[in-house]
Amino acid sequence: VSATGNKIKELDDEGLKEGEQAEAKADWSDLICGAGCEILQTEMRGITLKQLLQLRTHIQQRCVQEGWTDRAEQSPTYKQKLEPHKMNLYQVTDWVLLPATKARKCSYVELVARGSQKPRWFVSHWWGERLADFVKCLQLHSQNRELIEDTIYWVCAYANRQHSLSEELVDDPLQTSFYKAMQLALKEEGVL
């Protein structure tokens, strides 16, 4: 089971070797901001539209070239080659978020930010939605409100440390990063 809750079937030896090879050869330098940072409060791990656009570009540059495939057994596209503009958050997490943050066991935001990023907007989303569509929605939101590329959105997938989700999630809803981030965003702008 992956950190996203997806059941991922073990690949055969050849597929596993290919996956390991792709991960070992992966270059994350276009995503990483210096040495990254540690942000102790999950609710302060917002992501900017600019950082999401860098992620989208990274995927566009690597996905087809490296022959990424859908590794989630329950997915209707299981074992099929992925197309960058059709990748959903489960697939992005599998191919980018988890491997890019593996060495530091950090959140994606901690990898790409220089420090805390207090959210102005809290974003509720569906993991099955295409990343390209998600980014387009935020671009349209940003344009309609005449926001800058550095406007900060809180999105759980990028804020939570996917390698240690049990530490990120707590029983009391009022103590969750979701609630705390939503409260910060409501004081600034709002919820999408």
Side-chain angles (χ1 to χ4, degrees):
V1 176
S2 75
T4 61
N6 267 354
K7 291 181 182 175
I8 299 175
K9 183 179 179 182
E10 288 288 325
L11 300 176
D12 56 24
D13 287 342
E14 183 180 327
L16 190 58
K17 288 176 186 172
E18 287 174 14
E20 288 174 350
Q21 289 170 356
E23 189 175 313
K25 290 190 280 185
D27 179 9
W28 311 111
S29 61
D30 57 325
L31 299 174
I32 297 171
C33 180
C37 64
E38 181 178 22
I39 305 169
L40 298 178
Q41 295 174 293
T42 307
E43 65 271 19
M44 296 298 285
R45 297 182 199 148
I47 191 163
T48 66
L49 181 55
K50 184 177 181 179
Q51 290 163 337
L52 285 168
L53 290 168
Q54 288 172 319
L55 173 62
R56 185 185 68 184
T57 299
H58 179 85
I59 291 166
Q60 289 168 339
Q61 292 172 346
R62 291 188 53 213
C63 177
V64 174
Q65 181 182 4
E66 295 177 15
W68 293 358
T69 58
D70 190 343
R71 299 186 285 200
E73 187 176 326
Q74 76 283 2
S75 173
T77 59
Y78 177 55
K79 290 189 176 181
Q80 293 178 24
K81 292 220 181 271
L82 295 171
E83 298 175 52
H85 66 283
K86 292 183 178 179
M87 287 181 67
N88 64 38
L89 195 47
Y90 293 112
Q91 296 156 340
V92 170
T93 299
D94 184 35
W95 281 98
V96 181
L97 303 186
L98 283 170
T101 60
K102 182 179 180 180
R104 290 189 45 223
K105 303 284 190 246
C106 64
S107 71
Y108 183 75
V109 169
E110 291 171 297
L111 187 74
V112 301
R114 295 187 191 283
S116 294
Q117 297 186 156
K118 182 180 177 184
R120 290 186 62 193
W121 297 92
F122 177 94
V123 182
S124 180
H125 64 97
W126 173 49
W127 277 65
E129 176 182 29
R130 294 174 179 183
L131 175 69
D133 293 342
F134 178 77
V135 171
K136 283 180 192 174
C137 287
L138 290 186
Q139 285 178 304
L140 184 58
H141 174 263
S142 180
Q143 290 169 2
N144 288 344
R145 296 200 175 255
E146 298 179 1
L147 303 173
I148 60 172
E149 272 191 337
D150 289 329
T151 297
I152 301 170
Y153 298 89
W154 194 88
V155 184
C156 65
Y158 308 106
N160 287 322
R161 293 174 177 158
Q162 297 295 323
H163 297 277
S164 55
L165 278 177
S166 61
E167 295 171 23
E168 298 281 352
L169 305 175
V170 295
D171 292 333
D172 181 358
L174 298 179
Q175 297 305 312
T176 64
S177 56
F178 293 84
Y179 179 80
K180 291 177 181 180
M182 193 178 302
Q183 294 306 304
L184 288 173
L186 288 171
K187 288 177 186 174
E188 295 288 328
E189 297 286 348
V191 176
L192 299 176

